[in-house]
Amino acid sequence: MRFTKMHGAGNDYIYVNGWEEEIKDPETWAVKWSDRHKGIGSDGLVMILPSETCDFRMRMFNADGSEAEMCGNASRCIGKYVYDKGLTDKTELTLETKAGVKKLKLKVIDNEVQQVCVDMGEPVMAPDRIPVLMEGDAVIGAPLDMGDNRFHITCVSMGNPHAVIFSNDFSSYDLHDIGQAIEHHALFPRRTNVEFAVIESENDIRMRVWERGAGETMACGTGACATLVAAVLNGYTGRKATLHLLGGDLQIEWNETDNHVYMTGEAVTVFEGEIR
């Protein structure tokens, strides 16, 4: 079976062409192939598939085998994959995901996709739709006690659940333990992604992310989108900012006119291989 390793801001996945390859039991293979010592090494597995309603369809499995609704960084890489591989000549695409239809705009230079802008749709703040087991119309700066520490979480869904925590400095915290504990907290019936963010200016946010089912990753597109929305809801930034992640930068805009969040960033092919 042939595969392509790609990353968006360091968030790396194994991509498989569903027209040419069939993967039975992708949950099991996602765990095996994602192993960074005994496998290919990745944050998960992405299957690019035909769609009856859109140009393409994606299924995405985390490194622990759980299937996610979608992935922003993976969406950008799919745009690059299908164009660079000649599966389409369009520079504006629709992508079917478990979180709904996403629209992609490809920036092509010398017949190769360099950047992709994804319309991530409207953010969801209603607790029952995220889901998070809290009362009210939205969860903005709500206290959450974890051992001796009290954090304030802002919850947003970008098709998958996120809990965003702002601080002036996270250097004294063990983000691995905190991220894992919050991911599995009883407040989140479908678990949650966790973002740790520092506001550097009105237009700059530095962040780290603990991804549900994958652990800490170099970047998370939906997490960056959720973090900007959370920053706006808390009055920390404007509606457009650069999100600085461990693997690179993403440009995020929460458009006031249509209420959609737009994410722009790189998409990079790392290597191709064959599993025998």
Side-chain angles (χ1 to χ4, degrees), residues 143-254:
L144 177 64
D145 292 324
M146 304 294 297
D148 295 332
N149 298 312
R150 167 165 284 193
F151 300 100
H152 291 84
I153 59 172
T154 298
C155 297
V156 178
S157 173
M158 291 302 309
N160 52 3
H162 295 270
V164 184
I165 301 170
F166 294 98
S167 174
N168 293 326
D169 180 20
F170 284 104
S171 61
S172 62
Y173 296 111
D174 186 331
L175 297 192
H176 179 278
D177 287 349
I178 295 168
Q180 189 172 49
I182 296 177
E183 175 192 350
H184 294 276
H185 196 283
L187 282 173
F188 303 99
R190 283 170 33 204
R191 297 188 289 165
T192 189
N193 301 280
V194 188
E195 284 73 40
F196 304 92
V198 176
I199 304 298
E200 296 195 327
S201 76
E202 186 179 357
N203 302 305
D204 293 271
I205 304 173
R206 189 164 301 279
M207 62 175 285
R208 290 171 67 180
V209 58
W210 178 269
E211 283 202 58
R212 178 185 58 171
E216 185 171 15
T217 58
M218 299 290 285
C220 176
T222 55
C225 293
T227 298
L228 176 68
V229 171
V232 174
L233 292 175
N234 283 279
Y236 296 146
T237 69
R239 286 178 167 260
K240 187 174 183 179
T242 299
L243 280 289
H244 305 283
L245 301 105
L246 293 179
D249 295 347
L250 294 173
Q251 309 299 321
I252 311 295
E253 179 181 3
W254 185 11

Side-chain angles (χ1 to χ4, degrees), residues 123-128 130 132 137-140 155-157 229 233 254 259:
V124 173
M125 274 76 80
D128 62 332
I130 292 174
V132 53
D137 297 329
V139 178
I140 303 173
C155 297
V156 178
S157 173
V229 171
L233 292 175
W254 185 11
N259 200 42

Side-chain angles (χ1 to χ4, degrees), residues 6-13 15 71-81 84 104-109 112-118 218-221 224 242-252 262-270:
M6 306 181 76
H7 81 83
N11 194 195
D12 60 337
Y13 290 95
Y15 293 80
C71 171
N73 289 319
S75 299
R76 296 201 315 278
C77 288
I78 287 174
K80 178 176 176 63
Y81 184 103
D84 289 0
L104 283 60
K105 291 185 178 181
L106 315 181
K107 182 178 181 180
V108 180
I109 300 175
E112 185 176 340
V113 174
Q114 301 296 325
Q115 280 193 329
V116 179
C117 177
V118 184
M218 299 290 285
C220 176
T242 299
L243 280 289
H244 305 283
L245 301 105
L246 293 179
D249 295 347
L250 294 173
Q251 309 299 321
I252 311 295
Y262 294 86
M263 173 191 60
T264 303
E266 65 177 357
V268 179
T269 298
V270 182

